[in-house]
Amino acid sequence: MDDSRPVDQRFTKALPKIELHAHLSGSISRQCLHEIWKRKKERNPYFDVEDPLVLMPPGKVDYTLETFFSTFSKLTYQLCNDLESLVYATNSVLEDFLGDGVVYLELRTIPRASPGITREQYINTVLDTVEKFREKTKRMSVFLILAIDRGSMIAAEAEEIVNLAIENKSRGVVGVDICGNPTKGDVSIYKEPFSRAKANGLGITLHFAETTASASPSELATLLSFQPDRLGHVIHVPDEIKKEIARRKLGLELCISCNVHAKMINGGFLDHHFGYWRHEECPIALCTDDVGFFCSPVSNEYLLAAQHFSLTRTDLLDMCLKSVDAIFAGEYYKGRIQAMLEVFATRFNSA
Ligand SMILES: CNc1ncnc2c1ncn2[C@@H]1O[C@H](COP(=O)(O)O)[C@@H](O)[C@H]1O
């Protein structure tokens, strides 16, 4: 790489990127939500939900965790509550990641039942949409992670979701996650389902120490006992546990803009714990979390990291190469992404 040239947007967009921590419903753009809203309103003028472009005005990214979680129930889930809207939103999210230069995506979603839609229908619809998308483009590989909502789900529901994940491995489900409002729930109730997920060859990723409320020594020890392969966020982590994460070389999904805008960390970009973890051996994937809210695509996350932590083109390329180790989809896909990064490294300079 020619490090005499700065990292700029052209570089980070062309860089073949992986995205490992993106929530489907949180990744839907405001424009797409608006289109779904418009269609519903045309069909039913009494449809009683406000225009997403009014509720989420362009440029607004300062969602606190409270306003963030309530937006899903007040808006997103009122719109994406039928299969047609789910297909439309999923396609739009996939197109957005592809357009940003993502070459490997593990999209995560809570298989959500709505009136008239079962969890099975939800997940089959997302998988069908991903399959059709694969027929359209070979550039981006797409896999799914099924997530458990700690804010609302009992152990039996987690069992159900792990069963769905196991049944759908051949269709591209590669892992399971625990997400949802970190101030709620008791994660220890998910021990059995997670050990079954592991025994059945699924990858395990966990939202980890997102807030002080979800960072008690006992919660973190419980989560580490689930034998995760990767951790998301890793914000409020005591030193002893940092050492254990480094010893295990766990893959880290770091979401810089989300953590800064949602005030999940104290301070700004420069204070983000990316600055700490980049010196450890853990593979790091920069991720968007919910690009529909925080409006910073993956290419911008790499740009921000470069700008705030003085990274060169070679630093970013090395980080991407190392992060490939953390994907859940196996050796063939690791080789594929590495090859894409190598081609990029030789061709971009001369382009
Ligand atoms: C701050 N970051 C976060 N922390 C914890 N959970 C999050 C999250 N961002 C999103 N979700 C979880 O993902 C759901 C939306 O996508 P799906 O309907 O599953 O596709 C949200 O309802 C929330 O439970």
Side-chain angles (χ1 to χ4, degrees), residues 77-272:
Y77 294 155
Q78 304 299 322
L79 294 167
C80 298
N81 58 358
D82 64 282
L83 297 181
E84 184 188 1
S85 305
L86 181 61
V87 171
Y88 190 76
T90 305
N91 268 319
S92 161
V93 166
L94 295 175
E95 289 292 348
D96 287 349
F97 282 114
L98 177 69
D100 188 42
V102 171
V103 296
Y104 176 93
L105 170 66
E106 287 176 14
L107 196 57
R108 62 186 67 191
T109 194
I110 303 166
R112 193 166 31 89
S114 331
I117 302 179
T118 63
R119 283 194 213 290
E120 283 83 356
Q121 281 172 314
Y122 178 96
I123 205 62
N124 279 330
T125 302
V126 175
L127 285 167
D128 288 345
T129 310
V130 167
E131 255 154 41
K132 290 209 180 91
F133 186 83
R134 283 195 196 109
E135 286 164 19
K136 276 196 295 184
T137 175
K138 297 254 172 301
R139 175 93 184 144
M140 182 171 80
S141 314
V142 183
F143 294 90
L144 278 197
I145 293 173
L146 300 194
I148 284 149
D149 176 10
R150 65 180 288 165
S152 70
M153 287 182 181
I154 58 170
E157 290 173 288
E159 287 287 354
E160 218 184 300
I161 288 173
V162 167
N163 286 343
L164 275 176
I166 295 169
E167 282 159 25
N168 285 293
K169 273 176 71 178
S170 61
R171 294 193 70 194
V173 174
V174 288
V176 285
D177 169 39
I178 299 175
C179 68
N181 191 332
T183 62
K184 297 189 176 166
D186 167 12
V187 293
S188 69
I189 64 171
Y190 306 129
K191 188 160 184 75
E192 281 310 309
F194 272 76
S195 89
R196 224 156 43 73
K198 186 99 193 162
N200 280 277
L202 287 163
I204 306 241
T205 176
L206 301 169
H207 279 65
F208 195 84
E210 263 188 290
T211 61
T212 46
S214 63
S216 68
S218 75
E219 168 155 342
L220 300 187
T222 300
L223 289 173
L224 286 180
S225 78
F226 292 4
Q227 300 299 322
D229 305 284
R230 300 200 310 245
L231 299 174
H233 294 290
V234 290
I235 302 174
H236 302 279
V237 186
D239 287 346
E240 280 313 297
I241 295 190
K242 277 188 191 149
K243 276 192 208 139
E244 179 58 13
I245 293 170
R247 191 188 66 75
R248 295 194 198 180
K249 299 195 182 68
L250 297 181
L252 303 180
E253 306 154 357
L254 301 185
C255 309
I256 300 179
S257 289
C258 156
N259 297 166
V260 170
H261 295 313
K263 301 206 166 22
M264 293 160 76
I265 61 161
N266 283 327
F269 291 102
L270 251 184
D271 305 293
H272 194 272

Side-chain angles (χ1 to χ4, degrees), residues 24-79:
L24 171 55
S25 304
S27 301
I28 308 169
S29 70
R30 291 154 204 214
Q31 186 55 35
C32 175
L33 288 174
H34 171 74
E35 284 155 18
I36 294 171
W37 173 83
K38 213 167 111 200
R39 193 161 50 201
K40 285 192 186 273
K41 198 80 184 163
E42 277 161 11
R43 287 182 189 166
N44 171 15
Y46 300 106
F47 179 59
D48 191 19
V49 171
E50 184 131 35
D51 184 346
L53 289 180
V54 173
L55 283 180
M56 300 176 82
K60 178 177 167 58
V61 290
D62 58 343
Y63 290 90
T64 62
L65 281 188
E66 207 171 300
T67 54
F68 170 78
F69 284 108
S70 66
T71 303
F72 285 101
S73 41
K74 270 202 324 233
L75 180 66
T76 321
Y77 294 155
Q78 304 299 322
L79 294 167

